[in-house]
Amino acid sequence: MMCCAYGAEKAVKASITSEGWRLAFSRPGFVTAKHDEARNPPKGIFIRTSSSSLGQARGTNGASLIDTLRGLLEERYPHEFRFDQLHLWPKDRAPIGRFDFEPGIDEVSRAIAEEIYAKVGADWIRSDAPNRVAQPGEKILDVVLLDPSHWFIGTHEAETWPTRWPGGIQPIDLAEEPVSRAYYKAAEAIQWSGFEMQRGDLAVEIGSAPGGACGRLLELGMDVIGIDPAEMDPRIAQHPHFRHIVARADDLPRREFRGAKWMLVDSSVTPNQTLATVANVVCNRNSNFRGLLITLKLGDYDAAERIESWRRKVESWGATDVQIRQLARNRCEVCFAVRLPGRSS
């Protein structure tokens, strides 16, 4: 069973059928499939979470749903077995951004998680509470709410950062709202990529206004250059470690990028335009970039078939590693995390 962004189901299905998976039950934001051989759950660019299914529970009574869950566990596992964590989340109920929808654990799913934990936690869960961030190697009991009266139940082992987060969504607790939702996208991209960003490093963001992603970079103690013709939020513009260049990246001399190790790009232009802009910067002989986080706007999910051609273009820059993922906070777009060998300036 797999969760994805609402609307990305077609891209998920296309990515797994060639591997022998047979499609089964699905809803917007949720896909299930079967395989004739013993296989680990599939992974892919548009698969936010992936679990081995244990079954499902349906009903209007919470107690009976929990009884069904307990029965599934008792049927599959010995009495002494314990999961390390319980993760419970709702599937996306709308495309991200529509009616201000953002993915994540809402009040209803939080309450259901607490109820399940209270009833079965002592017998089945090692963690002291539901929806904790898992450690690598931990076994996780997954409960996906198609709606509060219809649960899909599965399990997976924590590996990468997204597999450690409940529902594949990075938990962030902030004292105040960030400048824009780009903050969450940047935070997730940085963690998922594994880039070793350090205090004092110089980072550049192309398409920086109003400053959400820059805000995350500044929190990490970095020196930041924001490139955008539009105005920055005063909270970012007035930061002592921030410099705003009021221009388009294509119009700047390459010396403006000298010394920068990291680049974030999130511009409202076509993928080919974005990649051409980045190539003009990183393929310069004086470039010393070590990592790029590039958001490419798909427009619609039919454009997913072009992702491999974009990968090849990025690899032609001398990339040592390219990861691609539709982040949990991405709309109809994908993030490329690109490692470069760096060059002497």
Side-chain angles (χ1 to χ4, degrees):
M1 63 188 205
M2 294 155 279
C3 287
C4 61
Y6 190 110
E9 308 81 30
K10 180 179 178 181
V12 169
K13 294 173 182 179
S15 71
I16 66 174
T17 51
S18 62
E19 300 173 356
W21 289 94
R22 293 179 287 107
L23 301 175
F25 177 92
S26 68
R27 291 290 184 272
F30 184 78
V31 177
T32 67
K34 300 178 181 180
H35 205 286
D36 292 333
E37 302 173 3
R39 291 288 187 92
N40 290 325
K43 300 176 182 178
I45 292 171
F46 296 95
I47 298 173
R48 187 187 300 163
T49 69
S50 184
S51 307
S52 296
S53 178
L54 300 177
Q56 55 182 308
R58 304 189 74 162
T60 57
N61 182 278
S64 66
L65 287 165
I66 293 174
D67 285 343
T68 300
L69 167 62
R70 182 183 288 276
L72 289 170
L73 298 179
E74 291 173 345
E75 182 181 314
R76 294 289 190 97
Y77 297 97
H79 180 70
E80 64 274 11
F81 179 85
R82 297 291 184 275
F83 291 96
D84 296 295
Q85 304 287 343
L86 166 64
H87 286 178
L88 183 147
W89 67 94
K91 79 172 188 64
D92 287 10
R93 67 174 184 273
I96 296 172
R98 182 177 293 178
F99 310 117
D100 296 324
F101 171 74
E102 294 287 345
I105 298 169
D106 55 18
E107 291 302 319
V108 172
S109 55
R110 188 173 292 111
I112 293 174
E114 293 288 352
E115 185 176 1
I116 291 174
Y117 183 82
K119 297 290 179 60
V120 306
D123 295 332
W124 291 101
I125 312 296
R126 289 196 178 97
S127 177
D128 64 347
N131 286 333
R132 300 289 197 201
V133 174
Q135 297 302 310
E138 289 191 333
K139 306 291 186 183
I140 302 171
L141 175 62
D142 296 318
V143 181
V144 182
L145 304 186
L146 269 64
D147 60 56
S149 62
H150 190 185
W151 307 350
F152 267 78
I153 300 150
T155 182
H156 79 277
E157 183 173 321
E159 299 171 334
T160 62
W161 274 109
T163 66
R164 296 170 59 186
W165 299 327
I169 301 166
Q170 183 183 25
I172 299 178
D173 186 17
L174 299 175
E176 62 177 353
E177 278 297 305
V179 168
S180 71
R181 68 184 304 276
Y183 174 98
Y184 298 102
K185 292 166 62 175
E188 182 182 355
I190 291 167
Q191 193 80 61
W192 157 71
S193 69
F195 288 170
E196 302 85 1
M197 294 181 170
Q198 303 292 326
R199 296 183 68 86
D201 285 354
L202 179 59
V204 172
E205 187 187 10
I206 296 175
S208 58
C214 289
R216 179 55 182 159
L217 295 169
L218 291 166
E219 281 183 357
L220 295 174
M222 305 176 74
D223 294 317
V224 182
I225 297 173
I227 300 171
D228 202 304
E231 291 185 2
M232 302 295 295
D233 185 279
R235 286 177 285 172
I236 305 300
Q238 296 168 14
H239 196 285
H241 291 280
F242 178 77
R243 179 163 71 96
H244 184 199
I245 300 178
V246 185
R248 296 171 60 253
D250 289 332
D251 298 332
L252 293 177
R254 301 306 97 177
R255 65 175 180 271
E256 295 287 3
F257 300 92
R258 189 169 296 155
K261 287 186 177 180
W262 313 103
M263 179 190 293
L264 278 69
V265 187
D266 191 357
S267 301
S268 298
V269 297
T270 66
N272 285 334
Q273 287 176 285
T274 295
L275 295 178
T277 296
V278 177
N280 286 337
V281 176
V282 302
C283 294
N284 182 277
R285 62 185 178 87
N286 291 321
S287 168
N288 195 37
F289 284 98
R290 303 301 173 88
L292 318 172
L293 294 172
I294 306 170
T295 298
L296 297 183
K297 314 290 186 182
L298 299 180
D300 61 61
Y301 284 102
D302 288 339
E305 64 185 19
R306 300 168 60 194
I307 289 176
E308 287 308 310
S309 68
W310 297 331
R311 183 201 294 270
R312 291 192 294 272
K313 186 173 294 187
V314 169
E315 290 173 340
S316 73
W317 304 341
T320 59
D321 183 59
V322 180
Q323 301 179 75
I324 309 171
R325 179 174 174 83
Q326 184 178 34
L327 303 175
R329 299 284 185 168
N330 278 150
R331 295 183 180 177
C332 189
E333 56 196 13
V334 292
C335 180
F336 278 56
V338 184
R339 287 186 182 270
L340 297 171
R343 303 176 180 87
S344 299
S345 55

